[in-house]
Amino acid sequence: MQAPINIALVGNPNSGKSSLFNALTGLNQKVGNFPGVTVDKKTGTAQIVPGITANIIDLPGTYSLYPKSADEYVTYDVLINPNNTDIPRMVIIVADASNLKRNLLFCSQIIDLKIPVIIALTMMDIARRKGVEIDLDGLERELGVPVVAINPRKNKGVGELKKIIDLSARSHYNAPPRDFINNSALANEVIEDIKKVVPCKSDYGALHIAVNAEELPFVNGGQKLAIRNILQTHQFNKTKTQAEEIMQRYARIKHIMKASVVENDPLQKQLRSEKIDDLLLHRFWGYAILLAVMFLLFQSIFWLAKYPMDWIEGSFGALSGWLSSTLPDNKVTDFFINGILAGISGFAVFIPQIMILFGLITILEDTGYMARISFLTDRLMRQVGLNGKSVMPLISGVACAVPAIMATRTIENKKERLITIMVTPLMSCSARLPIYTMMIALVIPDKRVLGILGLQGLVMMGLYLLGFFMAIFIAAIMKLFIRIKEKSYFIMELPVYRAPRWANVGTTMVEKAKIFVRDAGKVIVVISVILWFLASYGPVSKMQPVHAKYEQLLAQVPADSPEAAVLNKQFQSAKLSNSYAGVLGHTIEPAIRPLGFDWKIGIALITSFAAREVFVGTMATLYSVGEDPQNNNATLREKLSSAKWPDGAPVYTLASGLSLMLFYAFAMQCMSTMAIVKRETKSWKFPVIQLFYMTGLAYVCSFIIFQIFK
Ligand SMILES: Nc1nc2c(ncn2[C@@H]2O[C@H](COP(=O)(O)OP(=O)(O)OP(=O)(O)O)[C@@H](O)[C@H]2O)c(=O)[nH]1
Ligand SMILES: [Mg+2]
């Protein structure tokens, strides 16, 4: 058994690399129908033939070997940096056959790096529909490297690819002896001199060092100095050389295309995608449809999830009611029902909504519509200092800000990328969904507007829109403050429309539910347990008088009388109010009172500081601990709607409900986001700014809305 060989998958964006990665490794790397799905490298192992295994490295897509954005640098580094731990033994170039000319540019550059190369042609089905016929043998002869047609979406041709990998691994194929173009002629002396300073496998590799030396991590200070000298002596002109290189490559590619590709009247055949785009990108209808799609998305989160949610909620209520009537009435039972079970039920209810949200977003991505949204909104984005490419992170921020912030790597312009990172957490992520849902059910009547539109769904959509417009607004402000000057442009390829792969949609939904249950679940259960302790015990000096008072009062009435029931309820809530958690909540109450929040909400604000998901679980625990045990099968919603201020006024009114929703819409409340912002911006400065501006914004908006509606 040999040691596994490293094989890198590279190619233009959206050409099918991750699909091939999944087909080879059996893993579930994210695949989507738009350029820039993969923004980081990911490794998996594959059995090529008995005796040969490979580490397959999936990489972000790149248009050419001259990187412009952070994700392209990831790929560039693997290909060019001799110290990279993933340095590939061979490279599979995944090339889109329906866009062959442009894909061949990148192929030719890799070939000239003198790394063994296999070209895997995907999208042959689409090429055929476009009327393009490719002579694979001819192409192979012209390029001097093996070419194989595959369809990783349907798992076709992967077996043959493996055979070629095997042959290549046993050195049956070598890098072609002659360069694709005459690289050394481009800058002969420079290349020769650079080779003396930095060891290079190829002329083309040396040329890259000449162009990019300042940015390359493996070129040390001394070498950089030497290279600067070389470039100066020979008066090396970066831009001119690069332009010359690309022109020569295209000239040869044109020749190759003529010899081995037949295009049947390319103008005649309008693809189905183009016809659909005539409508979906229409100057008026395009936007109308975009709004309708967004509206449907948010309505369905409500409609579709309603039944499973009711069922889960009812089941937990029944379960805890049944448990409290069967289990012995002691501290352990109380801990189990009001600590653990309440915490779990608080978030389990939202699994259906989270699954539906992720499912719908996956469908948008898979069909190719997501990329159209970028296109449609580019103009708006530009005015506020963002870019059409900011839209994808913003929309995926609706699911979760963490992958969304990583997705900003595709934005070439540093300022636009930074602003996108700063405002993405304002988009309402799935962790806010439970809070919105709960509050909407409490304070927004279930009415219809104009006969068909549900008011609750409208408010939900309003909250998402609010997040979006706030993001735009803040971006416009930040644009004035961030001083990075760089040219900005928007070039994005529109992928062809494809039917969503339902298996992909299904696995994404299940995966996300699992992650939610595992990650959020862990935190929520731990916090619920701690909270149960804090809510069940308190400082003796405060608890003693409460016990004394109510035990005395209870002794005066018959145990099963209605008066006793009332007293018991008051006793429980007095205990909670004087517990450690209660004391904590009361301490911060003055600060949040102007927003319409009571001390129980205060506790939930504290516990959910690191993760919003915890909010509902906290409320569930607090309202279970403070309840009469007989009432345990009431749902959280019922308990909340009967919550009162000491003066008898309800806690959850339209004013306080709106205020709470706004607070969670804007406040940072997410450690994972801060961590990823730190990683992507490489400094604590930005997450800290984010924490302060978002929390401040949340406070001010909640304050205003509460004062208006109260
Ligand atoms: N029709 C057709 N679709 C394909 C084929 N191969 C992949 N796809 C689809 O092409 C889209 C892009 O696939 P990905 O695997 O995400 O592409 P990628 O190269 O990893 O893209 P980035 O990570 O954005 O660079 C998906 O919708 C796939 O289902 C193919 O041979 N034919
Ligand atoms: Mg990918």
Side-chain angles (χ1 to χ4, degrees), residues 11-20 30-39 58-62 94 121-126 129 150-154 365-366 498 501:
N12 284 181
N14 209 35
S15 58
K17 296 175 294 299
S18 301
S19 306
L20 176 61
K30 182 171 168 148
V31 167
N33 187 18
F34 60 87
V37 179
T38 311
V39 291
D58 186 24
L59 289 164
T62 41
V94 181
L121 279 185
T122 55
M123 318 281 174
M124 291 293 274
D125 46 335
I126 297 174
R129 257 184 277 150
I150 60 169
N151 183 341
R153 187 176 153 102
K154 299 227 162 89
E365 293 179 346
D366 245 15
R498 277 186 254 268
R501 280 147 315 130

Side-chain angles (χ1 to χ4, degrees), residues 467-517:
F468 174 70
F469 284 113
M470 189 53 94
I472 298 286
F473 176 68
I474 299 287
I477 294 178
M478 287 191 174
K479 183 184 167 188
L480 306 176
F481 288 98
I482 297 180
R483 309 221 165 272
I484 303 177
K485 276 226 168 355
E486 221 179 293
K487 240 199 345 250
S488 151
Y489 45 90
F490 174 69
I491 305 174
M492 187 158 126
E493 233 183 308
L494 293 179
V496 296
Y497 289 103
R498 277 186 254 268
R501 280 147 315 130
W502 297 107
N504 181 35
V505 177
T507 28
T508 308
M509 289 169 73
V510 173
E511 276 306 303
K512 295 298 170 183
K514 271 200 216 151
I515 292 175
F516 177 68
V517 170

Side-chain angles (χ1 to χ4, degrees), residues 346-399:
F347 80 90
V349 177
F350 297 100
I351 295 173
Q353 282 188 328
I354 296 212
M355 290 177 73
I356 291 171
L357 179 68
F358 276 98
L360 293 173
I361 289 185
T362 310
I363 293 177
L364 283 188
E365 293 179 346
D366 245 15
T367 49
Y369 190 63
M370 199 63 126
R372 269 73 187 181
I373 301 182
S374 287
F375 180 83
L376 284 170
T377 46
D378 182 53
R379 233 197 14 224
L380 169 71
M381 293 292 138
R382 238 146 232 294
Q383 281 164 9
V384 297
L386 298 171
N387 182 295
K389 284 192 185 165
S390 310
V391 173
M392 219 101 69
L394 286 177
I395 293 185
S396 44
V398 166

Side-chain angles (χ1 to χ4, degrees), residues 25 33 61 63 69 73 125 127 129 147 219 242 248 322 326 356 392 418 422 426 435 445 528 532 555 585:
T25 60
N33 187 18
Y63 285 108
S69 49
Y73 260 103
D125 46 335
R129 257 184 277 150
V147 178
V219 181
Q242 259 173 294
Q248 289 190 17
W322 179 76
T326 28
I356 291 171
M392 219 101 69
L418 185 60
M422 292 304 276
L426 286 170
I435 303 164
S528 301
W532 177 85

